[in-house]
Amino acid sequence: MTTGNAPYVARDLAHVWHPCTQMKDHEQHLPLIPIRRGQGVWLEDYSGRRYLDAISSWWVNLFGHANPRINAAVREQLDSLEQVILAGFTHEPVIDLSEALVAIAPEGLTRCFYADNGSAAVEVAVKMSFHYWRNVGRQAKRRFITLSNSYHGETLGALAVGNVELYKEIYQPLLMDVITVPSPDCYEREAGESWAEHSRRKFAHMEATLAPHAHEVAAVIVEPLVQCAGTMRMYDPVYLELLRDACNRYEVHLIADEIAVGFGRTGTMFACEQAGIRPDFMCLSKGLTAGYLPLSTVMTTERVYAAFYDEYEKLNAFLHSHSFTGNPLACAVARASLRIFRDDNILERNRALAAHMGTRARELEDHPHVAEVRQRGMIVAIELVKDKATRAPYPWQERRGLVIYRHGIERGVLLRPVGNVVYFMPPYVITPDEIDLMVDVAREGIELATCD
Ligand SMILES: *Cc1c(COP(=O)(O)O)cnc(C)c1O
């Protein structure tokens, strides 16, 4: 028995204001889709139609919807403790999770500070870095260096250290002043230049900025290897190696925002591993709870921790909190998710899935409007252009991505292009057949969107 979608759509549009949406689009451009249930990679609406979740519900889901093992972990935790204040009190899930995270994180990240979403984690890292320098007597170090095309969230501090114009420009008067350095984005590499050569060459900008500014800079913040919201632009690990080295030389913190790329998306548990580096702060969220519940953490070093550890009267403590910091249900889910990684050998299994996804997606390389198919692990992106020879992009006003989105919805695949870039970032429980469907539907959508 299905009621159909219509009643839910009407009731929703009467009161719900949706995220990142021009609500007027729901009048004609965008069908609003009420979801009744999820199962594995599939979402099902109230008319019984199913959609393959090719974007992991905004990059959060890892092991499918309604995963039995994670559901069991939620139920078990629910029967003992749903929430408790984390100041002055603690609980087993947050202790277990912290131990488990420290065990798998780059060596030396031994302290976990919890918040409840990605932007809040970025705020924490920014405040902690600034506060660290103040606590050690370096008050001048209060600025941040960010990369062009970077994204770190929507709250004012996170927005300030990010760089996606569409989200940022309007709020500029409210934002702190940051120093922006050109991204190592390898889409911009010269003909014949390797990713590593390009990334290395781009690092000269960072070096040239750190040299005169280091005395006033607290930290450099980056998304390791993939600038996801910035249309899945990618760069070579060598950039992170050079950056780690420069941050050491200039005494500047390195904040790795692994909110999107963490937990296996780039092929390794954390993207930083591919450069063999340890950041001073690592922000985690999204996949942290396998896409189940809001939770984030900032992992940092003993050195940072020690700079805040003092007599109360010195007022050196990090007096930051969120009501749901370290929520037990969310921590229990995160712990269950890490068990799945280990027990099912997920990173190893993902290699085969990633290879298949890459092979299928690269079939599109010859398409007259595809400038590039790029991949890092379980993230694959297809860059559409108006003119392949000059790489002139389609004007954003044409909203070509919307054509692909709508085609996907019609064919039962949730694709959500960012600008003129179609990408796949599916849950790890996707099968090779489902990958084929996902890529086939994307290809059809691309044909439709580029046929004039
Ligand atoms: C999504 C994202 C954030 C923000 O996380 P929210 O939970 O949406 O606030 C920050 N940084 C990166 C790299 C992200 O992809």
Side-chain angles (χ1 to χ4, degrees):
M1 259 293 287
T2 57
T3 55
N5 293 340
Y8 294 96
V9 172
R11 284 169 57 199
D12 176 288
L13 293 179
H15 299 294
V16 183
W17 191 342
H18 289 265
C20 204
T21 298
Q22 170 46 265
M23 291 300 294
K24 193 169 195 297
D25 272 353
H26 284 309
E27 280 176 19
Q28 43 169 299
H29 296 303
L30 277 177
L32 181 68
I33 302 168
I35 293 299
R36 179 168 58 167
R37 64 180 164 210
Q39 187 60 244
V41 296
W42 294 96
L43 297 166
E44 186 184 313
D45 72 14
Y46 284 83
S47 68
R49 289 179 50 87
R50 301 204 312 157
Y51 310 90
L52 193 164
D53 188 354
I55 61 163
S56 297
S57 285
W58 251 349
W59 321 342
V60 297
N61 189 288
L62 297 186
F63 303 119
H65 297 276
N67 181 292
R69 279 187 277 177
I70 298 180
N71 286 6
V74 178
R75 284 196 197 97
E76 194 191 321
Q77 183 56 39
L78 196 52
D79 284 335
S80 52
L81 180 68
E82 81 299 334
Q83 164 68 0
V84 65
I85 179 171
L86 198 65
F89 286 73
T90 192
H91 50 83
E92 196 180 357
V94 80
I95 297 169
D96 278 355
L97 175 61
S98 305
E99 288 173 352
L101 287 172
V102 168
I104 59 171
E107 201 177 333
L109 294 176
T110 50
R111 297 283 167 178
C112 305
F113 189 97
Y114 289 90
D116 47 23
N117 65 76
S119 303
V122 170
E123 302 280 343
V124 165
V126 163
K127 283 176 69 178
M128 249 185 203
S129 173
F130 164 83
H131 197 161
Y132 168 91
W133 293 115
R134 189 182 167 281
N135 280 357
V136 301
R138 305 278 302 269
Q139 275 84 347
K141 288 169 83 66
R142 47 179 296 272
R143 300 188 73 189
F144 292 85
I145 295 179
T146 178
L147 295 177
S148 61
N149 193 46
S150 59
Y151 178 84
H152 298 291
E154 304 289 354
T155 54
L156 294 178
L159 198 60
V161 296
N163 201 250
V164 176
E165 284 300 304
L166 180 62
Y167 305 136
K168 179 171 180 175
E169 200 182 322
I170 297 192
Y171 305 103
Q172 196 67 57
L174 306 182
L175 304 180
M176 69 174 157
D177 178 38
V178 299
I179 303 169
T180 306
V181 167
S183 165
D185 172 8
C186 287
Y187 180 68
E188 291 173 356
R189 69 194 184 279
E190 306 280 318
E193 195 180 30
S194 73
W195 281 41
E197 284 161 355
H198 177 80
S199 301
R200 201 177 270 282
R201 181 162 65 78
K202 283 289 178 175
F203 188 76
H205 295 287
M206 182 61 82
E207 184 79 39
T209 305
L210 278 168
H213 288 293
H215 68 282
E216 55 166 354
V217 169
V220 177
I221 182 167
V222 296
E223 294 157 275
L225 302 187
V226 188
Q227 296 186 308
C228 294
T231 69
M232 303 291 164
R233 295 292 177 86
M234 302 177 182
Y235 59 90
D236 191 87
V238 74
Y239 191 87
L240 296 172
E241 276 176 57
L242 295 170
L243 181 58
R244 176 68 275 179
D245 174 64
C247 286
N248 290 347
R249 279 187 283 117
Y250 288 110
E251 297 189 302
V252 164
H253 287 143
L254 175 55
I255 302 173
D257 177 353
E258 295 233 8
I259 290 166
V261 294
F263 300 102
R265 292 290 183 199
T266 67
T268 45
M269 189 56 119
F270 301 109
C272 282
E273 290 170 34
Q274 294 180 44
I277 63 147
R278 186 202 72 200
D280 300 288
F281 301 92
M282 183 163 79
C283 303
L284 302 173
S285 189
K286 292 200 166 110
L288 173 60
T289 58
Y292 262 64
L293 286 164
L295 181 72
S296 63
T297 189
V298 177
M299 299 186 70
T300 190
T301 61
E302 289 303 311
R303 183 171 178 177
V304 169
Y305 182 75
F308 292 82
Y309 197 88
D310 211 336
E311 301 305 327
Y312 184 82
E313 295 72 20
K314 295 268 189 63
L315 295 179
N316 281 342
F318 191 60
L319 301 181
H320 179 114
S321 64
H322 297 286
S323 308
F324 285 100
T325 290
N327 172 259
L329 288 167
C331 289
V333 165
R335 179 175 62 173
S337 171
L338 291 180
R339 265 192 239 117
I340 295 177
F341 267 105
R342 190 194 55 203
D343 295 349
D344 292 10
N345 220 350
I346 294 298
L347 297 177
E348 180 63 38
R349 282 183 22 187
N350 279 358
R351 276 196 264 283
L353 289 174
H356 184 62
M357 199 157 67
T359 303
R360 288 301 325 276
R362 278 191 299 275
E363 290 170 9
L364 275 149
E365 272 173 344
D366 297 331
H367 190 280
H369 291 285
V370 170
E372 179 176 79
V373 177
R374 50 183 176 267
Q375 176 174 25
R376 179 72 68 180
M378 290 295 284
I379 306 174
V380 174
I382 302 165
E383 181 99 21
L384 303 182
V385 285
K386 189 180 171 84
D387 185 327
K388 191 161 178 149
T390 64
R391 287 193 160 184
Y394 284 111
W396 63 268
Q397 295 88 340
E398 294 179 5
R399 304 182 77 180
R400 304 269 168 166
L402 197 55
V403 175
I404 298 164
Y405 173 83
R406 293 207 314 239
H407 177 74
I409 293 304
E410 225 164 82
R411 291 275 279 116
V413 179
L414 167 50
L415 301 163
R416 201 172 192 278
V418 274
N420 295 320
V421 174
V422 183
Y423 70 90
F424 308 117
M425 203 196 284
Y428 305 157
V429 293
I430 195 168
T431 64
D433 285 348
E434 287 162 345
I435 288 174
D436 289 341
L437 171 69
M438 179 175 80
V439 178
D440 289 344
V441 170
R443 170 191 279 277
E444 296 161 11
I446 289 169
E447 295 293 351
L448 270 175
T450 60
C451 62
D452 62 311

